[in-house]
PDB file of all heavy atoms in Angstrom:
ATOM      1  N   LYS K 101     115.428  98.882  90.395  1.00 94.00           N
ATOM      2  CA  LYS K 101     115.925  99.334  89.095  1.00 94.00           C
ATOM      3  C   LYS K 101     116.709 100.639  89.208  1.00 94.00           C
ATOM      4  O   LYS K 101     117.677 100.861  88.492  1.00 94.00           O
ATOM      5  CB  LYS K 101     114.760  99.510  88.119  1.00 94.00           C
ATOM      6  CG  LYS K 101     114.183  98.200  87.600  1.00 94.00           C
ATOM      7  CD  LYS K 101     113.041  98.466  86.632  1.00 94.00           C
ATOM      8  CE  LYS K 101     112.588  97.172  85.965  1.00 94.00           C
ATOM      9  NZ  LYS K 101     113.597  96.666  85.002  1.00 94.00           N
ATOM     10  N   ILE K 102     116.278 101.538  90.085  1.00 94.00           N
ATOM     11  CA  ILE K 102     116.930 102.833  90.238  1.00 94.00           C
ATOM     12  C   ILE K 102     118.248 102.708  91.004  1.00 94.00           C
ATOM     13  O   ILE K 102     119.296 103.205  90.579  1.00 94.00           O
ATOM     14  CB  ILE K 102     115.991 103.824  90.954  1.00 94.00           C
ATOM     15  CG1 ILE K 102     114.830 104.205  90.048  1.00 94.00           C
ATOM     16  CG2 ILE K 102     116.744 105.068  91.416  1.00 94.00           C
ATOM     17  CD1 ILE K 102     115.223 105.073  88.874  1.00 94.00           C
ATOM     18  N   CYS K 103     118.185 102.036  92.155  1.00 95.00           N
ATOM     19  CA  CYS K 103     119.363 101.901  93.019  1.00 95.00           C
ATOM     20  C   CYS K 103     119.134 100.688  93.921  1.00 95.00           C
ATOM     21  O   CYS K 103     118.468 100.801  94.953  1.00 95.00           O
ATOM     22  CB  CYS K 103     119.574 103.160  93.847  1.00 95.00           C
ATOM     23  SG  CYS K 103     121.015 103.100  94.914  1.00 95.00           S
ATOM     24  N   PRO K 104     119.655  99.507  93.544  1.00 95.00           N
ATOM     25  CA  PRO K 104     119.389  98.274  94.301  1.00 95.00           C
ATOM     26  C   PRO K 104     119.737  98.373  95.784  1.00 95.00           C
ATOM     27  O   PRO K 104     119.123  97.686  96.605  1.00 95.00           O
ATOM     28  CB  PRO K 104     120.267  97.231  93.596  1.00 95.00           C
ATOM     29  CG  PRO K 104     120.451  97.770  92.212  1.00 95.00           C
ATOM     30  CD  PRO K 104     120.478  99.256  92.353  1.00 95.00           C
ATOM     31  N   LEU K 105     120.699  99.224  96.140  1.00 95.00           N
ATOM     32  CA  LEU K 105     121.084  99.353  97.546  1.00 95.00           C
ATOM     33  C   LEU K 105     119.931  99.882  98.396  1.00 95.00           C
ATOM     34  O   LEU K 105     119.841  99.571  99.585  1.00 95.00           O
ATOM     35  CB  LEU K 105     122.294 100.302  97.667  1.00 95.00           C
ATOM     36  CG  LEU K 105     122.925 100.442  99.058  1.00 95.00           C
ATOM     37  CD1 LEU K 105     123.500  99.118  99.528  1.00 95.00           C
ATOM     38  CD2 LEU K 105     123.995 101.520  99.049  1.00 95.00           C
ATOM     39  N   PHE K 106     119.035 100.648  97.791  1.00 96.00           N
ATOM     40  CA  PHE K 106     117.918 101.264  98.521  1.00 96.00           C
ATOM     41  C   PHE K 106     116.603 100.528  98.285  1.00 96.00           C
ATOM     42  O   PHE K 106     115.537 101.095  98.508  1.00 96.00           O
ATOM     43  CB  PHE K 106     117.776 102.734  98.124  1.00 96.00           C
ATOM     44  CG  PHE K 106     118.784 103.635  98.766  1.00 96.00           C
ATOM     45  CD1 PHE K 106     120.079 103.717  98.279  1.00 96.00           C
ATOM     46  CD2 PHE K 106     118.446 104.397  99.876  1.00 96.00           C
ATOM     47  CE1 PHE K 106     121.014 104.542  98.868  1.00 96.00           C
ATOM     48  CE2 PHE K 106     119.371 105.231 100.475  1.00 96.00           C
ATOM     49  CZ  PHE K 106     120.664 105.298  99.974  1.00 96.00           C
ATOM     50  N   GLU K 107     116.678  99.282  97.858  1.00 95.00           N
ATOM     51  CA  GLU K 107     115.450  98.516  97.624  1.00 95.00           C
ATOM     52  C   GLU K 107     114.635  98.353  98.901  1.00 95.00           C
ATOM     53  O   GLU K 107     113.415  98.177  98.867  1.00 95.00           O
ATOM     54  CB  GLU K 107     115.806  97.138  97.047  1.00 95.00           C
ATOM     55  CG  GLU K 107     114.608  96.335  96.576  1.00 95.00           C
ATOM     56  CD  GLU K 107     115.023  94.997  95.965  1.00 95.00           C
ATOM     57  OE1 GLU K 107     116.205  94.847  95.586  1.00 95.00           O
ATOM     58  OE2 GLU K 107     114.152  94.091  95.883  1.00 95.00           O
ATOM     59  N   GLY K 108     115.302  98.427 100.045  1.00 96.00           N
ATOM     60  CA  GLY K 108     114.604  98.310 101.318  1.00 96.00           C
ATOM     61  C   GLY K 108     113.557  99.376 101.544  1.00 96.00           C
ATOM     62  O   GLY K 108     112.622  99.182 102.329  1.00 96.00           O
ATOM     63  N   ILE K 109     113.692 100.536 100.865  1.00 96.00           N
ATOM     64  CA  ILE K 109     112.658 101.576 100.973  1.00 96.00           C
ATOM     65  C   ILE K 109     111.317 101.018 100.522  1.00 96.00           C
ATOM     66  O   ILE K 109     110.275 101.273 101.140  1.00 96.00           O
ATOM     67  CB  ILE K 109     113.033 102.809 100.127  1.00 96.00           C
ATOM     68  CG1 ILE K 109     114.302 103.463 100.663  1.00 96.00           C
ATOM     69  CG2 ILE K 109     111.887 103.815 100.105  1.00 96.00           C
ATOM     70  CD1 ILE K 109     114.776 104.640  99.821  1.00 96.00           C
ATOM     71  N   GLY K 110     111.338 100.237  99.439  1.00 95.00           N
ATOM     72  CA  GLY K 110     110.104  99.650  98.925  1.00 95.00           C
ATOM     73  C   GLY K 110     109.477  98.679  99.901  1.00 95.00           C
ATOM     74  O   GLY K 110     108.262  98.695 100.121  1.00 95.00           O
ATOM     75  N   TYR K 111     110.313  97.824 100.497  1.00 96.00           N
ATOM     76  CA  TYR K 111     109.783  96.858 101.467  1.00 96.00           C
ATOM     77  C   TYR K 111     109.266  97.569 102.719  1.00 96.00           C
ATOM     78  O   TYR K 111     108.239  97.183 103.293  1.00 96.00           O
ATOM     79  CB  TYR K 111     110.866  95.847 101.844  1.00 96.00           C
ATOM     80  CG  TYR K 111     111.176  94.853 100.755  1.00 96.00           C
ATOM     81  CD1 TYR K 111     112.323  94.987  99.972  1.00 96.00           C
ATOM     82  CD2 TYR K 111     110.321  93.790 100.498  1.00 96.00           C
ATOM     83  CE1 TYR K 111     112.614  94.082  98.961  1.00 96.00           C
ATOM     84  CE2 TYR K 111     110.599  92.871  99.493  1.00 96.00           C
ATOM     85  CZ  TYR K 111     111.747  93.021  98.728  1.00 96.00           C
ATOM     86  OH  TYR K 111     112.022  92.123  97.727  1.00 96.00           O
ATOM     87  N   GLY K 112     109.986  98.610 103.156  1.00 95.00           N
ATOM     88  CA  GLY K 112     109.540  99.356 104.331  1.00 95.00           C
ATOM     89  C   GLY K 112     108.207 100.038 104.106  1.00 95.00           C
ATOM     90  O   GLY K 112     107.312  99.983 104.963  1.00 95.00           O
ATOM     91  N   SER K 113     108.049 100.693 102.947  1.00 94.00           N
ATOM     92  CA  SER K 113     106.776 101.352 102.644  1.00 94.00           C
ATOM     93  C   SER K 113     105.656 100.333 102.480  1.00 94.00           C
ATOM     94  O   SER K 113     104.499 100.611 102.811  1.00 94.00           O
ATOM     95  CB  SER K 113     106.914 102.197 101.369  1.00 94.00           C
ATOM     96  OG  SER K 113     107.240 101.396 100.248  1.00 94.00           O
ATOM     97  N   LEU K 114     106.000  99.133 102.001  1.00 94.00           N
ATOM     98  CA  LEU K 114     105.006  98.064 101.866  1.00 94.00           C
ATOM     99  C   LEU K 114     104.448  97.686 103.244  1.00 94.00           C
ATOM    100  O   LEU K 114     103.236  97.486 103.402  1.00 94.00           O
ATOM    101  CB  LEU K 114     105.653  96.836 101.216  1.00 94.00           C
ATOM    102  CG  LEU K 114     104.722  95.697 100.794  1.00 94.00           C
ATOM    103  CD1 LEU K 114     103.969  96.078  99.542  1.00 94.00           C
ATOM    104  CD2 LEU K 114     105.522  94.428 100.549  1.00 94.00           C
ATOM    105  N   VAL K 115     105.318  97.608 104.237  1.00 95.00           N
ATOM    106  CA  VAL K 115     104.884  97.284 105.598  1.00 95.00           C
ATOM    107  C   VAL K 115     103.975  98.381 106.140  1.00 95.00           C
ATOM    108  O   VAL K 115     102.948  98.102 106.775  1.00 95.00           O
ATOM    109  CB  VAL K 115     106.113  97.080 106.514  1.00 95.00           C
ATOM    110  CG1 VAL K 115     105.672  96.901 107.962  1.00 95.00           C
ATOM    111  CG2 VAL K 115     106.919  95.876 106.069  1.00 95.00           C
ATOM    112  N   VAL K 116     104.322  99.638 105.873  1.00 94.00           N
ATOM    113  CA  VAL K 116     103.504 100.761 106.345  1.00 94.00           C
ATOM    114  C   VAL K 116     102.111 100.707 105.717  1.00 94.00           C
ATOM    115  O   VAL K 116     101.098 100.901 106.404  1.00 94.00           O
ATOM    116  CB  VAL K 116     104.179 102.110 106.025  1.00 94.00           C
ATOM    117  CG1 VAL K 116     103.247 103.268 106.358  1.00 94.00           C
ATOM    118  CG2 VAL K 116     105.472 102.246 106.808  1.00 94.00           C
ATOM    119  N   VAL K 117     102.034 100.428 104.414  1.00 94.00           N
ATOM    120  CA  VAL K 117     100.734 100.335 103.735  1.00 94.00           C
ATOM    121  C   VAL K 117      99.916  99.184 104.303  1.00 94.00           C
ATOM    122  O   VAL K 117      98.696  99.303 104.501  1.00 94.00           O
ATOM    123  CB  VAL K 117     100.922 100.156 102.213  1.00 94.00           C
ATOM    124  CG1 VAL K 117      99.585  99.910 101.531  1.00 94.00           C
ATOM    125  CG2 VAL K 117     101.576 101.382 101.612  1.00 94.00           C
ATOM    126  N   LEU K 118     100.571  98.069 104.596  1.00 95.00           N
ATOM    127  CA  LEU K 118      99.865  96.920 105.166  1.00 95.00           C
ATOM    128  C   LEU K 118      99.276  97.269 106.527  1.00 95.00           C
ATOM    129  O   LEU K 118      98.091  97.000 106.798  1.00 95.00           O
ATOM    130  CB  LEU K 118     100.819  95.733 105.286  1.00 95.00           C
ATOM    131  CG  LEU K 118     100.218  94.451 105.894  1.00 95.00           C
ATOM    132  CD1 LEU K 118      99.065  93.943 105.037  1.00 95.00           C
ATOM    133  CD2 LEU K 118     101.288  93.377 106.043  1.00 95.00           C
TER     134      LEU K 118
END
Side-chain angles (χ1 to χ4, degrees):
K101 286 180 172 289
I102 290 290
C103 181
L105 186 63
F106 283 79
E107 189 178 341
I109 296 176
Y111 287 103
S113 62
L114 189 75
V115 174
V116 173
V117 174
L118 179 61

